[in-house]
Amino acid sequence: MLVKTSRGFHAYFLYPEIGTVQNAIKINDMSIDIRADGGYVIAPPSRHHTNVQYRWIKNDILPLPEFFIKKEKKIIDLRPLYSGVSEGERNNSLVRLCGSWINDGLSFEECLEMALLWNEKNTPPLSEKEIRITIKSLIRKHLLNHNQTSIYYHEKNLLRLPIFTYSKEKIHKAEKIEVVFENKNVKRNWTVIPSIVYGLPGPFDEMIFMAINKIISELPKPISNPINIGSLKNIAKMIGYETFSGHVLNLIKNSIKRIKSINLLSETVYFDAVKKKFITDMFSIIDRVIFQGELDDNGDKIKNTYIWLNPVYLKNINAGYVSKIDYNIYFSLKSFIAKGIYRNLSPLFSISNLPIKISYKKLTQKLQIKQEKYLSDIRTQLNPAHKELIKFGIFKEIRYEQSKSNLLILYKK
């Protein structure tokens, strides 16, 4: 219906079959209001508040525009798959069946039980190990895809400076990280000093740290201590665990303790976004933590886990000294080295679209991995991670460039 109002001509589509909506769109500079079941319009012979009567300009009922028509989803019949499939069809069929079970809300154990029963009918059956790996992978992706927004903002210093090690020889060991930055005869030092009890944080601890920072990133600013990071079960879900056994929750708890226990020593390396300078300071990331079920200062049992961030770290977050990072991409990467490269280089992504060039020596410092001597060994060390980074579209090309004094790695977006 085309109706003349005090604000011009308006076209109204009234179709109950498209649901209850109250939106307006424009076509050829004419407002089109959509009123469906439950909606209404003011039409002739109604009067405007100025006492002017509405009148019909054209009273034709037009067909529903094509772009409003909802396309029916194609329904795939999975029933034939339950009778079992032959070799070559097993993995794809398992993914389709398990995907439907997960969407129906089945747990890992329930999916596994269903899959093992189904697998008995296959010729030949898949191994139980392969079924377990497939189900875990699907549940992990499902949890990540339903984990609110993917993009979050992480404090820049602790993306670019090493605090985690990927070296099997150093993980959870009481060995400190020492990095010297040299520029124009000026030496700047960065040191991570672990506790004797918990040692250096490794890849699992990095995942916990990423999850905590995502929680912090989504809080309204300014953020103040103490910070409620929720339950350990919620963190387990955020990093892709499908079950919340006591063992898993204890791993997460110890990881938070490990992150709290390390001391960071900056000698003009850590940038203070408020003071606008690189500082010399010794501090922790987390000053204090109270876990769910423990008593607060008033003697009351708390329902969630609370942390107190060190003021040095907290004020940088509040000052907006952060870099964008895609949480889902990070957790979809299987290689820990791929995770580390993505995490460490992410602050450079937003600067420009130019290739990122980093020396192999500097990369090994950032990841705290062994520095290999020969190119063949370096390729063996990094190529699996590089292939994964290209597969996920993070980089289009990665190549090695030998300079006179150093091996450079070029990451092209």
Side-chain angles (χ1 to χ4, degrees):
M1 294 181 292
L2 187 63
V3 180
K4 184 179 182 180
T5 71
S6 60
R7 293 179 294 169
F9 292 95
H10 283 249
Y12 293 96
F13 292 95
L14 291 89
Y15 292 96
E17 64 267 28
I18 64 172
T20 303
V21 291
Q22 295 184 9
N23 296 316
I25 62 172
K26 278 195 172 184
I27 297 180
N28 297 329
D29 294 325
M30 181 176 66
S31 295
I32 297 181
D33 292 350
I34 308 161
R35 292 291 184 267
D37 190 18
Y40 63 89
V41 297
I42 300 174
S46 304
R47 287 185 178 275
H48 191 256
H49 66 84
T50 60
N51 207 33
V52 176
Q53 190 174 39
Y54 289 93
R55 63 188 178 88
W56 295 111
I57 300 299
K58 193 174 182 180
N59 192 15
D60 292 336
I61 301 297
L62 302 176
L64 184 66
E66 195 69 29
F67 53 80
F68 284 125
I69 298 174
K70 293 181 179 178
K71 293 183 180 180
E72 291 186 6
K73 291 183 178 179
K74 186 178 179 181
I75 299 175
I76 301 174
D77 188 4
L78 299 178
R79 287 176 295 180
L81 301 182
Y82 283 92
S83 300
V85 294
S86 58
E87 190 173 5
E89 300 177 351
R90 298 169 302 171
N91 293 91
N92 186 49
S93 298
L94 175 61
V95 169
R96 292 168 70 183
L97 288 171
C98 189
S100 70
W101 301 334
I102 293 169
N103 286 328
D104 289 338
L106 270 65
S107 67
F108 171 77
E109 289 80 5
E110 291 168 328
C111 287
L112 180 61
E113 184 179 355
M114 295 273 285
L116 292 176
L117 289 172
W118 164 80
N119 191 44
E120 292 175 358
K121 302 175 184 177
N122 293 331
T123 50
L126 291 164
S127 68
E128 183 175 336
K129 181 181 178 181
E130 191 170 359
I131 290 174
R132 285 179 175 273
I133 291 171
T134 300
I135 296 174
K136 284 184 178 181
S137 176
L138 289 170
I139 289 179
R140 185 185 185 89
K141 288 180 180 178
H142 177 80
L143 291 172
L144 290 175
N145 290 336
H146 289 76
N147 189 33
Q148 300 175 354
T149 180
S150 176
I151 302 296
Y152 83 102
Y153 294 86
H154 192 295
E155 198 268 356
K156 284 186 180 181
N157 284 298
L158 296 190
L159 280 177
R160 66 180 182 86
L161 294 170
I163 53 175
F164 305 98
T165 179
Y166 293 82
S167 171
K168 293 180 180 179
E169 291 75 23
K170 293 182 179 180
I171 293 173
H172 300 174
K173 301 291 176 60
E175 292 188 38
K176 62 184 177 180
I177 293 173
E178 290 183 283
V179 180
V180 179
F181 301 92
E182 295 186 58
N183 186 22
K184 295 181 180 179
N185 299 321
V186 176
K187 289 187 177 181
R188 300 179 296 125
N189 298 293
W190 172 257
T191 310
V192 179
I193 306 168
S195 74
I196 296 175
V197 176
Y198 294 104
L200 277 178
F204 181 81
D205 307 298
E206 182 185 87
M207 291 196 298
I208 301 302
F209 189 59
M210 294 286 280
I212 290 173
N213 275 278
K214 185 176 189 296
I215 294 169
I216 293 169
S217 172
E218 293 168 352
L219 295 174
K221 306 296 187 295
I223 300 166
S224 59
N225 287 321
I227 298 168
N228 181 358
I229 60 171
S231 66
L232 298 182
K233 289 182 179 180
N234 179 56
I235 294 175
K237 184 178 179 182
M238 287 181 68
I239 64 173
Y241 274 92
E242 66 281 347
T243 57
F244 309 127
S245 66
H247 174 68
V248 169
L249 299 181
N250 196 49
L251 285 176
I252 296 170
K253 188 173 184 179
N254 283 334
S255 179
I256 295 173
K257 289 179 179 179
R258 184 171 294 107
I259 295 167
K260 186 211 173 300
S261 70
I262 59 174
N263 285 310
L264 308 176
L265 175 58
S266 164
E267 296 178 62
T268 63
V269 173
Y270 191 96
F271 186 74
D272 187 319
V274 176
K275 295 180 179 179
K276 306 291 183 186
K277 67 175 186 178
F278 293 95
I279 61 172
T280 297
D281 200 348
M282 187 171 184
F283 59 96
S284 302
I285 302 170
I286 300 173
D287 283 345
R288 184 185 181 193
V289 57
I290 300 181
F291 291 100
Q292 182 180 4
E294 295 178 353
L295 302 180
D296 61 16
D297 294 339
N298 299 319
D300 298 321
K301 187 177 288 188
I302 62 171
K303 297 180 180 179
N304 290 299
T305 296
Y306 286 83
I307 62 171
W308 281 254
L309 287 182
N310 187 281
V312 179
Y313 190 64
L314 181 58
K315 68 181 180 180
N316 269 1
I317 295 172
N318 283 328
Y321 189 66
V322 292
S323 285
K324 182 171 69 173
I325 191 164
D326 192 310
Y327 187 84
N328 284 3
I329 286 178
Y330 172 84
F331 274 97
S332 295
L333 294 167
K334 294 180 181 178
S335 163
F336 286 130
I337 291 181
K339 278 183 166 72
I341 293 172
Y342 174 69
R343 181 178 181 275
N344 278 276
L345 298 187
S346 60
L348 304 174
F349 292 171
S350 58
I351 297 175
S352 71
N353 287 321
L354 295 174
I356 299 168
K357 190 176 287 188
I358 184 172
S359 71
Y360 171 66
K361 179 181 178 181
K362 188 173 181 180
L363 184 64
T364 58
Q365 286 180 337
K366 283 180 172 290
L367 301 178
Q368 285 298 296
I369 56 176
K370 181 184 177 183
Q371 188 173 340
E372 299 289 354
K373 185 177 180 180
Y374 301 106
L375 182 59
S376 58
D377 294 329
I378 293 170
R379 289 182 181 276
T380 301
Q381 181 186 42
L382 297 181
N383 279 7
H386 286 169
K387 287 179 181 179
E388 196 173 7
L389 291 167
I390 291 173
K391 176 185 174 182
F392 275 84
I394 299 168
F395 300 107
K396 290 182 180 178
E397 181 186 1
I398 302 172
R399 67 173 185 263
Y400 302 91
E401 295 182 354
Q402 184 70 59
S403 68
K404 291 182 179 179
S405 59
N406 208 345
L407 175 67
L408 302 175
I409 306 175
L410 185 75
Y411 294 91
K412 188 176 180 181
K413 293 188 286 182

